[in-house]
């Protein structure tokens, strides 16, 4: 065994493709004194048996960017390291068997084009020409990516390992990390064990790249890495005479992919109901292991495969392969620093795309560790999106049985998972359910997305066109615009920041001025050093020394981590009080009349103007009424102690009859906020979006003194903006916008839609998206002609820098 140092700048745990890539990229950034420890042999976990598909077509722009980086890197790696990676750019074809799937793959092609990925929609004749063995019956559309490829996964990892070693990384096999040491909320090092020998390494940085072992290892330090292994299958035929170089082929509607390799055919499966594995833990001696074959489980895919690829009917089967791979509750991997522990980094949970993802993910994580800030928006895969409850093994087991198959299912907008539901519920859940609520899930929370009418089916019927709830959303939307609607937003994250130095901490972290009188609410962002947005929130000053921060439910762990990370010597207590209060949002021009019926307090502009809150009596209980809105109307967010929420709901509902009060869901909330161009964190504003370019300069007060990101704001003011967030409305009222459609300016793709929904009041699909504009005036920017490309078709769009709905905020201040 090689000598193991007593000290290292970083310790990487796990020698699969993930760990090797992180090591390679840290070394490439000039880091020395890095050690990678592998409990058995490099690649002996999952990496050795991957199918080796390298596909760049991903569902979002930054995932496409990372996959493209991997593909480019793997092409160069062999020349750099001398290790034959087997990387062959044979191209790939994805075929659609339904019109809905065709729409999806065409949308992905539009998105990929916006990122310079070479992709083309191809005809049936071209499919047949490129893939003569394929039975094309039922194929209605196809896309071709000539630079996609296939590789030898183990050798990709070995090449990355060699590249890392060449730059000085110490890679030691047969050494298991047994413990991560911690002091004062920070990593201080690890303990290792090897053949009876034991030792420690001091280090401030540990990177958990332990694949399907990552959850258990993290749990020892209270770090949530919710993943669970599933059995994952493919078969390889005996050599088939005459079979030679073919593109990789995906037939997602039949849950299958095909890969030609050395004259044999591989058929891999993404079956709808998968088999979780390793419930009682992973055997200690697991090393290059495979799992028992299960022909009955694979058979339905094989039957479709034989029809689709008739040669399979006569070819002999060389291997039925079954190997474990880790899957996560939302089919996205984990990257970044764990919110629970400083210095504990994670790159794991790859959902069967670890080979194609690890090149890019390793690069991004290394840069993140190096700079202390993510190099670009990685929220989609950020470990801070996890919820503590998701460590529950039964929850994971049930959920991953679904998520494996979802990778090849139709990725319809608003698609909801169906397993392991109902974990986090508002106290109003049963009330809303009894009144027709159809729920969706975010961060484990069940939230009413829309309300079915009497007799209407309470199910989603998914489509890329108008779904079955479109009219329900319209009615709810218009009730908010013209009357009054009630939303349950209990899922908001709520954080109390209290203590002698609470104001000082928040003034240092927030861009707006929080030195306001108790009773005021301030809309603000927390910025990083680049002036980009880490968090979007409202802060209510409860007293001289206490503040309530309200954040989206999905970002709570991230926001808590950001606050705690920046807490220096200040005397401040930060507490998650999410479960203590429910939030009922009463919104619409008639909300004042209605609230006045259930509360004796004064809700006039004099007593409770916009941006203030007051303690109120309501029904037989008490609440805090916050005069703010996310739908752009007069309204109040009522913060009600959880135990009184049902009572307050009933009181409002009874009084609301006279005003035609409508229960509203999250879909209507979103369509209303789109008309008002209110930004949504994670989509329109992220940690790579500068606060001024996001159009939120009004909430930045550089005159208040120093705060994180202030210098970057001042710099950008001097330099001028390089892009701006623009609101679009399609002229044609039929097409819909969701997310990621291409923005076309004067005939050229310049960006993508960051979020979209239907403007039921404005009468067309509304989207937000960034448009490059260096050195341009607003007038020049708006004088261009704009179109939005949806699945290859272009639609004329009106563009605006001011909200198209109520630009002067007169309704909000009514
Ligand atoms: C059948 C199948 C087909 C696949 N096909 C593809 C494909 O075509 N394309 C694609 O991109 N992906 C594919 N994948 C997925 C891909 O193989 C994985 O996502 C990837 O290999 C995961 O790499 P990893 O480094 O995270 O995990 P692993 O390869 O499992 O590496 C983790 C390592 O950590 C080590 N370790 C664990 N605990 C410790 C400890 N305490 N101390 C030291 N070391 C430790 C383990 O021994 C292991 O070697 C496929 C997977 C399967 C099962």
């Amino acid at each position: 065994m090689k000598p193991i140092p007593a000290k290292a700048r970083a310790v990487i745990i796990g020698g699969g493709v993930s760990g090797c890539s992180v090591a390679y990229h840290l070394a490439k950034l000039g880091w020395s004194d890095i050690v990678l420890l592998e409990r058995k042999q490099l690649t002996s976990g999952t990496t050795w048996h991957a199918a080796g598909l390298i596909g760049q077509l991903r569902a979002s722009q930054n995932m496409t960017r990372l996959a493209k980086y991997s593909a480019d890197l793997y092409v160069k790696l062999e020349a750099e390291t001398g290790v034959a990676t087997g990387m062959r750019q044979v191209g790939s074809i994805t075929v659609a068997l339904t019109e809905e799937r065709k729409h999806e793959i065409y949308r992905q092609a539009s998105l990929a084009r916006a990122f310079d990925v070479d992709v083309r929609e191809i005809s049936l004749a071209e499919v047949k020409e490129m893939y003569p063995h394929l039975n094309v019956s039922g194929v209605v559309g196809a896309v071709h990516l000539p630079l996609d490829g296939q590789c030898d996964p183990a050798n990709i990892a070995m090449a990355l390992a060699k590249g890392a070693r060449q730059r000085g990384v110490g890679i030691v096999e047969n050494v298991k990390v047994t413990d991560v040491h911690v002091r004062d909320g920070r990593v201080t090092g690890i303990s290792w064990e090897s053949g009876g020998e034991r030792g420690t390494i001091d280090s401030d940085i540990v990177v958990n790249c332990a694949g399907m072992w990552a959850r258990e290892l993290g749990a020892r330090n209270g770090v949530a890495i919710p993943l669970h292994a599933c059995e994952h299958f493919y078969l390889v035929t005996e050599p088939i005479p005459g079979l030679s170089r073919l593109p990789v082929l995906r037939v997602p509607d039949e849950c299958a992919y095909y890969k030609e390799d050395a004259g044999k055919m591989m058929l891999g499966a993404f079956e709808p109901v998968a088999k979780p594995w390793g419930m009682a833990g992973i055997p200690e001696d697991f090393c290059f292991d495979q799992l028992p074959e299960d022909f009955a489980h694979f058979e339905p895919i094989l039957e479709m495969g034989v029809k689709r690829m008739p040669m399979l009917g006569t070819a002999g089967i060389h291997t039925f392969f079954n190997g474990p791979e880790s899957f996560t509750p939302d089919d996205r991997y984990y990257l970044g620093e764990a919110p629970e522990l400083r210095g504990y980094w994670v790159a794991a949970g790859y959902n069967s795309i670890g080979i194609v993802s690890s090149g890019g993910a390793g690069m991004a994580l290394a840069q993140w560790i190096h700079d202390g800030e993510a190099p670009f928006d990685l929220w989609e895969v950020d470990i801070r999106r996890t919820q503590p409850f998701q460590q529950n093994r039964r929850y994971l087991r049930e959920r991953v049985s679904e998520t494996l198959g979802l990778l090849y299912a139709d990725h319809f907008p608003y698609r909801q998972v169906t397993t392991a539901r109902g974990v986090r519920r508002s106290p109003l859940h049963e009330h809303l359910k009894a009144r027709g609520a159809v729920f969706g899930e975010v961060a484990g929370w069940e939230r009413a997305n829309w309300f079915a009418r009497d007799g209407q089916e309470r199910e989603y019927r998914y489509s890329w066109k108008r779904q079955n709830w479109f009219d329900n959303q319209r009615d709810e939307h218009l009730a908010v615009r013209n009357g009054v609607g009630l939303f349950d937003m209990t899922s908001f994250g709520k954080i109390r920041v209290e203590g002698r130095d609470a104001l000082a901490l928040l003034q240092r972290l927030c861009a707006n001025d929080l030195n306001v009188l108790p009773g005021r609410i301030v809309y603000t962002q927390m910025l990083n050093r680049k002036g980009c947005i880490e968090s979007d929130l409202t802060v209510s000053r409860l007293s001289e020394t206490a503040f309530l921060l309200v954040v989206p439910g999905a970002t709570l762990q991230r926001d808590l981590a950001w606050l705690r990370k920046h807490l220096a010597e200040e005397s401040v207590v930060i507490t998650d009080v999410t479960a203590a209060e429910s939030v009922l949002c009463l919104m619409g021009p008639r909300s004042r009349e209605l609230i006045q019926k259930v509360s004796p307090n004064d809700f006039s502009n004099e007593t409770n103007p916009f941006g203030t809150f007051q303690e109120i009596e309501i029904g037989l209980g008490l609440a805090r009424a916050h005069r703010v809105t996310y739908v752009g109307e007069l309204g109040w967010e009522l913060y009600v102690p959880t135990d009184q929420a049902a009572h307050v709901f009933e009181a409002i509902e009874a009084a609301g009859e006279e005003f035609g009060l409508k229960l509203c869901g999250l879909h209507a909330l979103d369509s209303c906020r789109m008309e008002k161009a209110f930004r949504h964190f994670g989509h329109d504003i992220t940690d790579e979006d500068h606060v001024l370019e996001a159009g939120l300069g009004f909430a930045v007060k550089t005159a208040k003194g120093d705060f994180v990101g202030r210098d970057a704001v001042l710099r950008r003011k001097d330099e001028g903006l390089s892009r701006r967030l623009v609101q679009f409305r399609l002229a044609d009222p039929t097409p819909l916008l969701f997310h990621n459609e291409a923005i076309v300016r004067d005939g050229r793709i310049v960006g993508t839609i960051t979020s979209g929904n239907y403007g039921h009041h404005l009468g067309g699909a509304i989207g937000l998206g960034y448009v490059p504009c260096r050195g341009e005036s607003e007038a020049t920017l708006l004088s261009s002609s704009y179109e939005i490309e949806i699945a290859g078709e272009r639609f004329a769009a009106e563009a605006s820098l001011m909200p198209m709905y109520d630009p002067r905020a007169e309704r909000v201040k009514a």
Side-chain angles (χ1 to χ4, degrees), residues 428-437 448-453 472-473 475-477 479-480 484-488 584-587 594 649-650 652-654 656 660-666 668-669:
L428 303 175
H429 185 85
E430 292 303 322
H431 284 72
L432 302 182
K433 194 169 159 190
R435 289 154 181 80
N449 275 350
W450 54 283
F451 286 83
R453 298 192 196 95
N472 305 68
Q473 180 194 35
D475 293 352
E476 293 167 23
H477 184 117
V480 172
V484 56
L486 183 64
F487 301 85
D488 177 10
L584 295 176
C585 302
L586 199 55
M587 295 286 151
L594 171 48
F649 173 84
E650 287 159 14
I652 293 172
E653 186 184 45
L661 173 70
K662 193 146 188 70
L663 292 180
C664 300
L666 271 292
L669 186 92

Side-chain angles (χ1 to χ4, degrees), residues 13-19 37-54 153 175-178 209-214 217 220 230 232-234 257 286 321-326 347-358:
I13 308 171
V17 67
S18 175
L37 301 178
E38 163 55 48
R39 56 183 266 289
K40 298 286 181 193
Q41 283 168 256
L42 294 183
T43 79
S44 65
T46 297
T47 298
W48 70 279
H49 56 56
L53 272 47
I54 304 296
V175 179
K176 179 177 173 181
V177 173
T178 51
C209 298
M212 60 189 170
W213 292 264
L217 189 63
R220 283 191 225 153
C230 276
H232 197 24
F233 301 87
Y234 57 70
Y257 64 85
F286 188 101
F321 187 82
N322 178 10
E325 159 70 336
S326 38
Y350 278 103
N351 300 289
S352 95
I353 53 163
I355 309 301
V356 58
S357 303
S358 282

Side-chain angles (χ1 to χ4, degrees), residues 296-312:
H297 189 76
F298 193 81
E299 198 176 11
I301 310 292
L302 180 59
E303 268 176 20
M304 288 187 282
V306 169
K307 287 190 194 130
R308 189 59 58 202
M309 199 73 73
M311 68 168 85
L312 291 178

